Amino acid sequence: MTATEAASKAAERTSGSVLRSGAVMASGSVVSRVTGFVRSAVVVAALGTGLQADGYTVANTVPNILYTLLIGGALNAVFVPELVRAARNHADGGAAYTDRLLTLCTIGLLALTALTVVAAPWIVSVYAPDYHGGQADLTIALARYCLPQILFYGLFTLLGQVLNARDRFGAMMWTPVLNNVVIIAVFGIYLGVATGSDGTLTSAQAQWLGWGTTAGIAVQTLALVPALRAAKFRWRPRFDWRGSGLTRPLRAAGWLVMLVLTNQIAYWVVTRLSTATGQHAVEQHVSGGVGYTAYSYAYQLWVVPHGIVTVSLVTALMPRMSRSAADDDLTGVRRDVSYALRTSAAVVVPAVAALFALAPWVMGAVYGYGRTGAADIAAMAGMMMAFAPGLIAYSGQYVLSRAFYAMSDTRTPFLLNLVIAALNAGLCVVAYLLLPVRWAVTGMAGAYSVALFAGFGVTAYVLHRRVCGSAAVRPSLLRSAGLWAQLRLVVASVPAGLLGHLAARACEGFGDFAAVGAGTAVLLLTVALLARPLRLREISALISAGRGRLRRA
């Protein structure tokens, strides 16, 4: 066997391992997303999409925003490459280094959580400045009950990344199911108790919903402990930080904090403008919830294919990319990036077509319960259609940025992300000023899609120059296998989406679920039929794998 053949077979075995790990995470993510849909449906049924729901959504979103802004993005991007490097270079396999890093980050999380709880009124005023009186009081109270989530979000990420660095991927994707179950139970009990009320939250009910939501995150975090024990990890707090090599990850984390800060400035613009739009819609008697809650729920559903496929695949690839980068093997990094782009696009691009073509029925099937009416569903469906195309760029940007992180470069992604953040914020202001109240937030969703494509293009160009050698031997970006695979998938998905929409419309008399099922079936069948003439190799591979499993079954 030649060296080339041996390398090819080794790559195939490694890709198979990555796919198996990705499949474990994807299956957990699917269950998590399904229970997440149920959770969202129960929350919407309990609170609707009006001002009271906006108050809960702001209060429950702020902990995630602040955690991600101040520490979360850094933990996600820096931890795995640093732990992989420590495991390779330290005599104890990186055990002491891991203990020190965990101790330092946990102390930071405790301090951050305490500070934000005290500052809750100011935080709410920043994200929802138009709230006054009872609406402001309710949102501040809910925020204080929810802000302790920051601690548990951080611990979940820290411990999950320790597992990922040890190639243990399943637990981090499966434990969010427990969080969803807890919150479904909390809101289900509220629905049972509040039946017949006018929908106004009492102080006791606000405590129940706020603390119940925080309890879900706590349960999710504690559920990682058995997996950590199975991986033979024992955390021993260490405070001997001086001279231990923690300066490197902290410096890298600084750029990540700046990146997240720019994202959150843009998101802050969206939150302020969409909450103000919701207030104006009530004052102008516009039917349906067209404010922040509608935007938030459309976004949550839009990002599902990315969370199931791209995140799972790249999480499994990240240790391997980090090892290649540590060995200065840019060919290995380039191979993994191309593989991730092509494989994730095989699912993400048809999913984009489905979300765009079937948006009214998808929204009805997921959120059309309780206090949610037809006007609410129509508003969220419009936002989904505006979001949908941007998912291709969102997924691709995620893959490319992780390649930079694997090479321990967090500065370049920060600079590139300025394109997305600036365009998103600027175009959202334009949408708010120029569009009618009914369509302003839908325009903000479309603005995000435009910004994502601009950022994806710039990032692809810069990474291509980084990993493809000198200009004399660098292949053209326009000849990239990943790019052309995505373009062919788009060509197949356009007619597939049109036929899926017609099928859904023909079956809508049988209900939203029947319409979604018929539209999805026709869409997928059309993509499958176009796989061979358009040379959609990843789709053909998925079909062949499915046939093989059926034969074995």
Side-chain angles (χ1 to χ4, degrees):
M1 181 184 298
T2 66
T4 303
E5 291 173 342
S8 176
K9 288 186 177 296
E12 289 177 6
R13 286 194 299 271
T14 309
S15 296
S17 175
V18 168
L19 281 178
R20 284 192 295 274
S21 298
V24 171
M25 286 185 285
S27 61
S29 186
V30 167
V31 177
S32 175
R33 299 291 178 170
V34 170
T35 54
F37 292 155
V38 177
R39 162 187 166 167
S40 297
V42 173
V43 173
V44 172
L47 300 179
T49 59
L51 283 179
Q52 184 170 263
D54 279 358
Y56 171 80
T57 306
V58 169
N60 188 38
T61 305
V62 160
N64 200 358
I65 291 174
L66 294 176
Y67 157 71
T68 304
L69 170 62
L70 298 173
I71 195 170
L75 297 184
N76 270 314
V78 173
F79 238 61
V80 169
E82 289 300 325
L83 295 181
V84 167
R85 185 175 287 102
R88 293 172 75 91
N89 298 334
H90 295 187
D92 64 350
Y97 184 86
T98 302
D99 288 340
R100 294 186 186 103
L101 197 53
L102 282 172
T103 303
L104 178 61
C105 292
T106 301
I107 290 173
L109 285 167
L110 286 168
L112 175 61
T113 302
L115 181 63
T116 55
V117 170
V118 172
W122 179 80
I123 292 169
V124 169
S125 71
V126 169
Y127 283 93
D130 297 309
Y131 286 178
H132 304 286
Q135 177 72 7
D137 293 339
L138 172 65
T139 306
I140 291 169
L142 285 168
R144 281 201 161 122
Y145 307 142
C146 292
L147 281 166
Q149 294 174 24
I150 292 174
L151 172 63
F152 296 108
Y153 276 130
L155 290 174
F156 177 76
T157 301
L158 287 168
L159 300 176
Q161 296 301 332
V162 170
L163 288 170
N164 288 348
R166 287 163 167 74
D167 293 325
R168 303 281 186 121
F169 303 105
M172 200 174 182
M173 290 297 182
W174 278 94
T175 49
V177 175
L178 298 175
N179 175 26
N180 292 331
V181 170
V182 170
I183 295 177
I184 289 167
V186 167
F187 276 84
I189 293 171
Y190 166 78
L191 272 172
V193 172
T195 300
S197 71
D198 62 357
T200 302
L201 284 177
T202 66
S203 176
Q205 289 169 342
Q207 288 191 49
W208 171 255
L209 297 182
W211 286 121
T213 303
T214 298
I217 301 296
V219 170
Q220 171 182 308
T221 302
L222 292 173
L224 290 179
V225 172
L228 290 164
R229 290 186 174 277
K232 296 181 172 56
F233 174 76
R234 300 292 187 273
W235 177 25
R236 298 172 178 82
R238 297 188 61 149
F239 301 90
D240 52 336
W241 302 331
R242 185 182 297 275
S244 60
L246 293 179
T247 305
R248 175 189 173 96
L250 292 178
R251 187 184 302 116
W255 287 109
L256 264 297
V257 169
M258 293 295 294
L259 182 150
V260 176
L261 176 61
T262 57
N263 279 342
Q264 292 307 321
I265 290 173
Y267 191 74
W268 171 74
V269 171
V270 173
T271 304
R272 288 198 63 165
L273 296 181
S274 59
T275 53
T277 299
Q279 191 82 37
H280 299 330
V282 172
E283 294 167 355
Q284 297 178 25
H285 305 290
V286 174
S287 60
V290 296
Y292 176 62
T293 295
Y295 181 98
S296 177
Y297 283 130
Y299 177 92
Q300 288 176 25
L301 191 55
W302 168 75
V303 81
V304 164
H306 167 79
I308 292 174
V309 178
T310 311
V311 172
S312 299
L313 182 64
V314 175
T315 300
L317 277 172
M318 194 66 181
R320 190 171 88 181
M321 277 200 293
S322 299
R323 293 181 191 110
S324 296
D327 295 336
D328 292 324
D329 179 14
L330 294 183
T331 300
V333 174
R334 185 169 65 246
R335 180 187 61 241
D336 287 340
V337 169
S338 177
Y339 174 77
L341 286 173
R342 290 181 284 106
T343 305
S344 61
V347 178
V348 168
V349 175
V352 166
L355 292 175
F356 185 89
L358 310 178
W361 303 285
V362 170
M363 286 299 182
V366 177
Y367 297 125
Y369 310 97
R371 300 181 187 276
T372 308
D376 301 308
I377 295 300
M380 287 191 286
M383 294 175 197
M384 173 61 74
M385 295 176 73
F387 270 130
L391 187 61
I392 297 172
Y394 185 83
S395 178
Q397 178 77 10
Y398 185 89
V399 173
L400 301 184
S401 64
R402 265 54 191 177
F404 284 110
Y405 299 155
M407 294 184 287
S408 296
D409 179 2
T410 53
R411 178 176 177 272
T412 302
F414 160 70
L415 297 173
L416 295 170
N417 192 68
L418 292 176
V419 175
I420 299 174
L423 267 179
N424 186 26
L427 292 174
C428 283
V429 172
V430 171
Y432 177 78
L433 294 175
L434 298 184
L435 295 177
V437 168
R438 168 64 179 81
W439 295 105
V441 180
T442 303
M444 295 178 202
Y448 191 40
S449 288
V450 173
L452 284 169
F453 274 106
F456 182 38
V458 174
T459 305
Y461 174 77
V462 173
L463 181 64
H464 180 73
R465 291 176 62 87
R466 173 75 64 85
V467 301
C468 289
S470 64
V473 299
R474 185 186 303 133
S476 170
L477 178 60
L478 295 178
R479 298 177 62 183
S480 164
L483 173 64
W484 283 102
Q486 294 202 7
L487 290 176
R488 289 195 298 271
L489 281 163
V490 170
V491 170
S493 295
V494 169
L498 176 61
L499 293 175
H501 178 84
L502 295 175
R505 186 169 292 280
C507 296
E508 64 182 351
F510 299 100
D512 290 326
F513 281 100
V516 172
T520 302
V522 170
L523 188 152
L524 293 178
L525 178 61
T526 305
V527 171
L529 291 174
L530 292 174
R532 179 168 291 181
L534 290 177
R535 294 182 291 115
L536 306 177
R537 297 184 179 88
E538 286 70 30
I539 298 292
S540 299
L542 289 174
I543 295 172
S544 298
R547 287 174 177 169
R549 291 194 176 191
L550 286 175
R551 282 196 296 268
R552 288 193 296 272

